[in-house]
Amino acid sequence: PGLENSVFFVTATCVLAGECVAWLTARLHGVQRRLREHDERRFQALLAASSDAMLVVTADGRFSYASPSVTRLLRIPLDQVRSLPVAEGIDRYVRADDAARVRDWLEDMLRRPGAEETVRFQVQAGAGWRDVEGIGRNLCDDDDVQGVLVTLRDVSERTNLERALTEQAFSDQLTGLPNRALLQDRTEQVLRAAARHGGTSALLLIDLDRFK
C-alpha cells in the first residue's frame, strides 16, 4: 500500500535512463564509425604515397586487392590489374626468364600457411624493365585478407649498382675482359661440378704474342 503513487515516477526514471543510455550508445557508435573512416582514409593515403606496391593473391588465382602504387610501378591502370588473372599477369608483365620461377614461388606460398619468402625478378614497366623484390606472406587464415600478401619493391638502382660492382671486381678496367679473379671463380665452379658428377675438367691456355 502506498507504492501506487511511486509507479509513475519509477517508470519515468527508467524510461529517461534508457533514453540516455540509447543516446550515449548512438553517440559512441557514431564516434567509432568516424574514427574507423578516418583510419581507413589515412591508411589509403599512406598506401597511395608509398613507393611499395601491395597485392593480395587468392587461392583461386585472382587479385583481390591492389594498392594505388601498383600503377606507378607497372605503368598500367589499377582497375586493369584488379581484373587480371594472376597467371595472365605473370605471363604478360614478368620477364620470360623469371616467369616460371615466380609462378612456382607463388604456388609454394599458397600451400604453406604463415610462410614468408622473398623473390627477385624483372617486370615490364612501360617500354622498359625494372628489377623488383617481391616479399610474400601467406595470410590465408586471416579472415580480413584470405590470400597471400605480396609487397613489390623497385630495386633497380640497387641491382644496377650490384651489377656494376660485380663487373668492376671481375673484369679488366682497360679492356673490359674477364680478369684473373673471374678465371679463378669459374675454375673453382667447374672443379666442384666435376667432383659432384664424377666428371673431368680441363683448362686450355692460349698464348697471344705481344699482348699486354
Side-chain angles (χ1 to χ4, degrees), residues 18 28 38 43 46 52 62 76 96 105 110 123 148 155 162-164 175-176 180 183 186 208:
L28 178 61
H38 176 266
F43 177 70
L46 291 173
D52 294 348
R62 309 289 302 184
I76 57 177
W105 170 78
L110 285 167
V123 295
V148 172
V155 293
E162 291 172 354
R163 289 171 182 159
T175 63
R180 188 172 300 181
L183 171 64
R186 295 297 186 268
L208 301 179

Side-chain angles (χ1 to χ4, degrees), residues 75-156:
R75 307 287 178 83
I76 57 177
L78 191 60
D79 55 349
Q80 183 177 340
V81 177
R82 291 171 175 168
S83 63
L84 198 65
V86 175
E88 184 178 343
I90 292 176
D91 292 338
R92 184 182 298 183
Y93 295 106
V94 176
R95 186 179 284 275
D97 296 340
D98 299 330
R101 182 164 52 86
V102 173
R103 278 194 295 268
D104 293 341
W105 170 78
L106 196 53
E107 291 174 0
D108 180 64
M109 289 295 302
L110 285 167
R111 285 194 298 265
R112 295 189 294 131
E116 187 169 349
E117 297 287 345
T118 302
V119 65
R120 273 199 190 186
F121 54 96
Q122 287 188 317
V123 295
Q124 187 174 10
W129 294 91
R130 289 186 180 181
D131 294 281
V132 299
E133 182 179 71
I135 304 173
R137 186 178 181 187
N138 188 315
L139 297 175
C140 294
D141 294 336
D142 191 325
D143 294 335
D144 295 328
V145 181
Q146 297 182 350
V148 172
L149 175 63
V150 179
T151 303
L152 298 179
R153 180 172 300 164
D154 188 351
V155 293
S156 299

